Amino acid sequence: MGASSSKATRSLPKRVTTPPWSGARVSRPVDSLAEASETKNDVIDRDSKDPQFLSKLNQLGPVLVGHRMQVTRPAASADHMYNSRLLSENEAASANPPQNRVQASRLSQLLDERKSVRTARDMEFLAKRFGVDLEKLESISKFLSTPSVHANSLVRDVHKDGGDKQVMKVKQ
């Protein structure tokens, strides 16, 4: 529709030119640290001339450094954890455990038995039997407790693979 002279003609370049970035890259090894620092200084100079970057830095303000920060040494904390566990196991295996040091399973048992104690004399006997001062036992019992369950509420579900699941109702 219309003459061919009115249509835009496409003209392709007569000679193919390749952009300078195309082709094989030549890796240039860094001769010295001076060249690396020069490029670093160039970047810093360009950043210092950027007004938007400068305004954002001014909004952030100076860096606050916590002078009370401590260096953490993971190896030291692992050694401390290992030594404390070793000490705890040695105390548990000992015939005479130190006063007021109770393993978690024994603490659970102590708190369970404490629920059934009726008299102060029985409480003293219980504390002495577990190697805990009466004052410590009272202090612990303010913050720790064990769950109380109904005696006949145990429901055991055995799976086909041999695993089992026990469910008990808790007293309220």
Side-chain angles (χ1 to χ4, degrees):
M1 333 242 100
S4 62
S5 62
S6 66
K7 291 184 180 178
T9 59
R10 272 196 281 175
S11 62
L12 296 174
K14 305 288 184 224
R15 196 176 81 171
V16 178
T17 58
T18 58
W21 49 265
S22 68
R25 292 187 177 190
V26 178
S27 63
R28 198 173 47 138
V30 176
D31 293 335
S32 66
L33 292 175
E35 286 184 20
S37 65
E38 285 177 18
T39 59
K40 180 180 172 186
N41 290 337
D42 291 342
V43 171
I44 292 172
D45 287 340
R46 274 186 273 131
D47 283 344
S48 68
K49 294 176 185 174
D50 185 5
Q52 187 178 15
F53 182 67
L54 185 60
S55 68
K56 293 293 182 184
L57 283 177
N58 286 334
Q59 284 177 356
L60 287 174
V63 175
L64 300 175
V65 178
H67 293 290
R68 296 189 177 139
M69 295 175 65
Q70 296 178 353
V71 177
T72 59
R73 293 181 180 92
S77 63
D79 285 344
H80 175 68
M81 181 178 62
Y82 173 75
N83 289 335
S84 65
R85 287 183 182 177
L86 185 63
L87 178 66
S88 177
E89 288 178 8
N90 289 339
E91 287 175 356
S94 171
N96 298 328
Q99 187 73 8
N100 296 327
R101 299 286 295 250
V102 181
Q103 298 294 315
S105 59
R106 298 264 303 156
L107 179 61
S108 176
Q109 184 181 1
L110 170 64
L111 293 173
D112 279 341
E113 289 185 26
R114 184 188 174 279
K115 293 176 186 176
S116 62
V117 171
R118 301 283 182 234
T119 65
R121 185 171 178 232
D122 290 341
M123 184 71 76
E124 289 174 12
F125 176 73
L126 182 67
K128 185 176 180 182
R129 195 177 86 197
F130 281 89
V132 179
D133 293 335
L134 186 60
E135 298 82 29
K136 292 285 183 188
L137 178 58
E138 291 298 326
S139 174
I140 289 170
S141 62
K142 287 180 185 177
F143 300 104
L144 292 177
S145 182
T146 55
S148 300
V149 295
H150 289 288
N152 298 329
S153 68
L154 177 63
V155 177
R156 186 177 217 169
D157 183 22
V158 179
H159 302 287
K160 293 177 184 177
D161 63 353
D164 65 339
K165 178 179 175 183
Q166 295 180 359
V167 179
M168 297 176 236
K169 291 186 180 179
V170 177
K171 291 181 184 178
Q172 293 183 0

